[in-house]
Amino acid sequence: MYHLSPSQAQEIVDKMMKDIPYNINIMNEQGIIIGSGNLKRVGTVHQGAVEALSTGKLVEVWTDGKSAKKGTNEPIVIDHKRVGVIGITGDPDEVRPFCNIVKTVVTLLIEQGAALKSLEHEANRKKAFLELLLSHRGAYSQRFRREAQQYNIDLMLKTVVLCIRNLKKEQEKSKLYLLFPSFLLDEDTHLLIVQNNDDLDKLIKHLTENHKDVLISKGKSEANIADSYYQAKSALNVAHALKLPTQVVSYEEVNFLVKLSHTNLTGNHNAVSKLEDTLDGMETLRSFINHNCSVSLTAAELNIHRNTLQYRLKRIHSLTGKDPRNVLDLFELIFGLLSLYK
């Protein structure tokens, strides 16, 4: 139902009467005044409005009476429904043009409000569907398959889920939305559902060649979309934990690390968290890992002297109790990083 709230109606009246030298009344679908230059009339029934709503036509009053004053009463009609009335007090020949102006403003605001509610409803509906889709296990019901078709998803096909982060260009996002079923996971991460392997390879190549900051995590081709989503999300967590120097991380490539991150090991494997409050501890550790413990390559990437790097590595050892230059200790530090992002 199209609707204008009393607060909106009064705000419109107050603004319009700054430029229009006549009293304005806005009535709802029952003919009750919900906004007026004469606040004493708010909440009362306007007889001219009742007639306008009944006939669907402009009602003009040419003489003042006990129950009505001179003026025009124009019904607001949206989608063939009478949703309210605009009334302006004064000689009909003088106020008629103003009545049309106010009616146009009110109509646009009502339609805009309805459109926003529709978008909000669709967004909530899409969010609810996504939550069900990503938590569903087992066979899909016919009803669920029909609902998925509304988003161009065929639940009978195997699916690869992509999690895409740091895609900044709005035009690029719009193209993706048109080509693939997509959902917003958070402010900077989109989920894409790809059901054609040829499309998948072309898409990844296009994104990585044209967007240097984009990060893509990829699940395996699965009959159950929730399975591929879990894989893509887990791969993304690994990429963030270790700051992997790649634009594309596949679950198949990091599945051991994913499983490792969820292993319930004994001991103080959260020692890495002590590096979070340091200025450069995390950055140094990740760079050291990604350069296979090469002091020269790590120092070059961090743009520091080799002696400075050695000092930082000793500092990491001091804070965590684990020496990153020792392969077994480094393994524990890697596990600690993964545990922070699982």
Side-chain angles (χ1 to χ4, degrees), residues 47-267:
Q47 294 302 324
V50 172
E51 184 180 348
L53 288 167
S54 176
T55 62
K57 298 179 179 179
L58 172 68
V59 173
E60 296 182 339
V61 180
W62 292 88
T63 57
D64 290 335
K66 292 183 179 180
S67 59
K69 292 185 177 182
K70 288 194 301 182
T72 59
N73 298 282
E74 177 82 7
I76 304 169
V77 181
I78 300 177
D79 286 348
H80 308 291
K81 295 180 181 179
R82 301 163 194 167
V83 300
V85 176
I86 298 298
I88 299 186
T89 305
D91 185 281
D93 287 333
E94 295 179 4
V95 302
R96 194 179 298 116
F98 297 115
C99 190
N100 289 331
I101 293 173
V102 178
K103 175 187 172 182
T104 299
V105 171
V106 173
T107 300
L108 288 173
L109 287 174
I110 292 176
E111 290 177 335
Q112 182 184 56
L116 290 174
K117 283 187 177 180
S118 178
L119 288 173
E120 182 180 357
H121 174 75
E122 176 55 31
N124 290 335
R125 180 169 169 268
K126 189 173 183 179
K127 181 180 179 182
F129 170 77
L130 178 64
E131 290 175 353
L132 288 174
L133 183 67
L134 300 184
S135 62
H136 186 86
R137 291 291 186 272
Y140 296 111
S141 67
Q142 289 187 355
R143 179 180 177 182
F144 200 32
R145 291 202 299 266
R146 286 196 298 269
E147 186 172 0
Q149 288 175 351
Q150 299 178 35
Y151 299 100
N152 297 317
I153 301 171
D154 186 346
L155 293 180
M156 301 303 291
L157 296 177
K158 282 194 170 184
T159 299
V160 172
V161 169
L162 299 180
C163 289
I164 301 178
R165 180 161 288 186
N166 301 330
L167 187 61
K168 303 299 184 183
K169 296 180 181 179
E170 293 300 325
Q171 185 177 4
E172 188 71 65
K173 292 179 185 179
S174 299
K175 289 180 181 178
L176 290 179
Y177 300 158
L178 292 174
L179 294 173
F180 302 96
S182 61
F183 301 86
L184 182 65
L185 291 179
D186 58 47
E187 186 175 324
D188 196 33
T189 307
H190 291 78
L191 180 151
L192 255 64
I193 292 178
V194 184
Q195 300 186 306
N196 185 309
N197 285 332
D198 292 336
D199 290 341
L200 177 64
D201 296 337
K202 293 176 183 177
L203 171 62
I204 292 176
K205 182 179 179 180
H206 170 77
L207 290 176
T208 54
E209 288 180 349
N210 292 278
H211 304 275
K212 64 177 182 178
D213 295 326
V214 73
L215 175 61
I216 303 170
S217 64
K218 181 177 68 170
K220 297 195 298 183
S221 179
E222 299 283 3
N224 188 289
I225 291 177
D227 291 338
S228 188
Y229 164 69
Y230 164 79
Q231 295 163 4
K233 181 182 178 183
S234 298
L236 186 64
N237 289 341
V238 169
H240 281 305
L242 302 180
K243 291 294 186 288
L244 297 177
T246 180
Q247 286 185 279
V248 182
V249 55
S250 169
Y251 175 78
E252 292 177 315
E253 296 171 348
V254 299
N255 60 355
F256 171 77
L257 296 176
V258 170
K259 293 173 183 176
L260 178 65
S261 70
H262 288 83
T263 303
N264 185 19
L265 299 177
T266 58

Side-chain angles (χ1 to χ4, degrees), residues 271-272 274-275 277-282 284-285 307-325 333:
V272 171
K274 297 177 181 178
L275 300 178
D277 295 329
T278 64
L279 180 63
D280 45 37
M282 284 290 199
T284 300
L285 177 59
N307 291 342
T308 303
L309 174 60
Q310 293 290 357
Y311 169 79
R312 290 188 184 182
L313 294 174
K314 290 179 182 178
R315 176 71 172 160
I316 291 173
H317 186 187
S318 174
L319 289 171
T320 65
K322 304 298 175 183
D323 186 352
R325 293 164 295 188
L333 290 171

